Amino acid sequence: GSRGEITASLSPLPPIPSAPLPLSHAQSSIPISRLIIERMIQGNDRQLTMINSLLEINSCEKQGLEIKLEPVQFSTLLGGTFAELEPILTQNQATLKNLVPADLPLVMADGTRLQKVLVNLIAHSLHNNPPGLNFTLSATVEGKMIRTQIQDDGVGMSKVECDRLFDLHVRDPQDCCSTSIGLKMYLCRKVIKAHGGEIGVMSNRKRGLTFWFTLPLATSSATNRP
């Protein structure tokens, strides 16, 4: 199955180096540049992130996704998300314009999981584009749902790629980072579906992508609970 393909594509974690042997007078230490050490750490971090995503997917498949729904003010939720996004936006010289109205109705959501969805969608675009990306975030009420859109001005994707983005499959077995982001896209769909919403992506007419997802509005009975 697709999960087997993913497991087969994982490269083994590098062995943990043993404690260095004491150097004799005839030997001298070999300097290792800070850049090499940083790259080793980043590589290990990416593999750990991918393993954590696989464990989370495995748990979802066996036990279902546990979410804690409560009435949430969407604009308040975004405030926490922006704080989490600020470092990676700065690192990638990217901007985020927030066009979400402050007076939107409450939504039924698990705030922590929803923040991860927003961060993962933006991280996908950052990974696939050079620095300097510009994002626009908007939200509108459509019937009994709120539809959120994240638009960027980067590279687009074909319709086939858009249709497959949230499926569980390996994009590039040699690219640990790409596979990790692919797993997170699958988890994004799991989270939004568990909320009772839908998620998708489409290529913009001129350039870039627009990610979108829907969330149900909080009912009056939910907002009036003690």
Side-chain angles (χ1 to χ4, degrees):
S2 55
R3 195 179 310 149
E5 293 172 18
I6 288 177
T7 307
S9 74
L10 295 179
S11 57
L13 288 171
I16 299 172
S18 57
L21 296 172
L23 296 171
S24 67
H25 292 296
Q27 292 175 312
S28 61
S29 61
I30 302 173
I32 300 177
S33 75
R34 175 181 291 272
L35 180 61
I36 291 175
I37 294 173
E38 287 176 351
R39 284 181 175 171
M40 290 170 64
I41 293 171
Q42 288 170 358
N44 287 343
D45 286 346
R46 283 195 293 267
Q47 287 190 322
L48 285 172
T49 300
M50 183 164 61
I51 290 169
N52 286 335
S53 295
L54 282 168
L55 291 173
E56 190 172 353
I57 288 171
N58 186 54
S59 175
C60 288
E61 301 295 338
K62 287 186 175 180
Q63 304 165 14
L65 185 66
E66 182 182 345
I67 60 171
K68 299 174 182 177
L69 295 178
E70 58 183 359
V72 173
Q73 186 70 48
F74 200 58
S75 55
T76 304
L77 177 75
L78 291 177
T81 308
F82 292 153
E84 188 174 346
L85 281 169
E86 190 174 359
I88 62 171
L89 290 173
T90 302
Q91 182 182 352
N92 289 275
Q93 300 166 32
T95 65
L96 175 59
K97 182 188 293 185
N98 177 21
L99 300 180
V100 175
D103 59 350
L104 283 175
L106 299 176
V107 293
M108 292 300 297
D110 182 323
T112 301
R113 289 196 179 274
L114 200 56
Q115 283 185 354
K116 284 185 179 180
V117 168
L118 287 162
V119 169
N120 287 337
L121 294 179
I122 287 176
H124 175 277
S125 292
L126 292 175
H127 173 69
N128 289 288
N129 287 280
L133 209 57
N134 299 297
F135 294 95
T136 303
L137 182 63
S138 59
T140 54
V141 177
E142 296 184 357
K144 296 182 179 180
M145 311 289 282
I146 283 184
R147 179 186 176 96
T148 303
Q149 293 197 154
I150 307 168
Q151 186 173 339
D152 69 55
D153 60 352
V155 296
M157 292 194 303
S158 69
K159 187 177 186 306
V160 172
E161 289 173 317
C162 287
D163 291 344
R164 292 190 64 195
L165 184 63
F166 297 97
D167 292 344
L168 186 57
H169 71 280
V170 177
R171 285 145 184 80
D172 182 356
Q174 303 303 317
D175 187 344
C176 173
C177 189
S178 175
T179 300
S180 178
I181 290 175
L183 296 174
K184 288 179 180 178
M185 292 296 99
Y186 177 75
L187 285 169
C188 283
R189 185 168 69 178
K190 281 282 188 183
V191 169
I192 296 300
K193 289 275 192 183
H195 279 75
E198 299 289 338
I199 189 170
V201 62
M202 54 191 175
S203 263
N204 301 329
R205 185 174 299 175
K206 291 185 177 179
R207 59 180 302 181
L209 297 173
T210 296
F211 287 99
W212 62 268
F213 60 85
T214 58
L215 295 169
L217 297 175
T219 61
S220 55
S221 58
T223 55
N224 292 332
R225 284 184 304 187

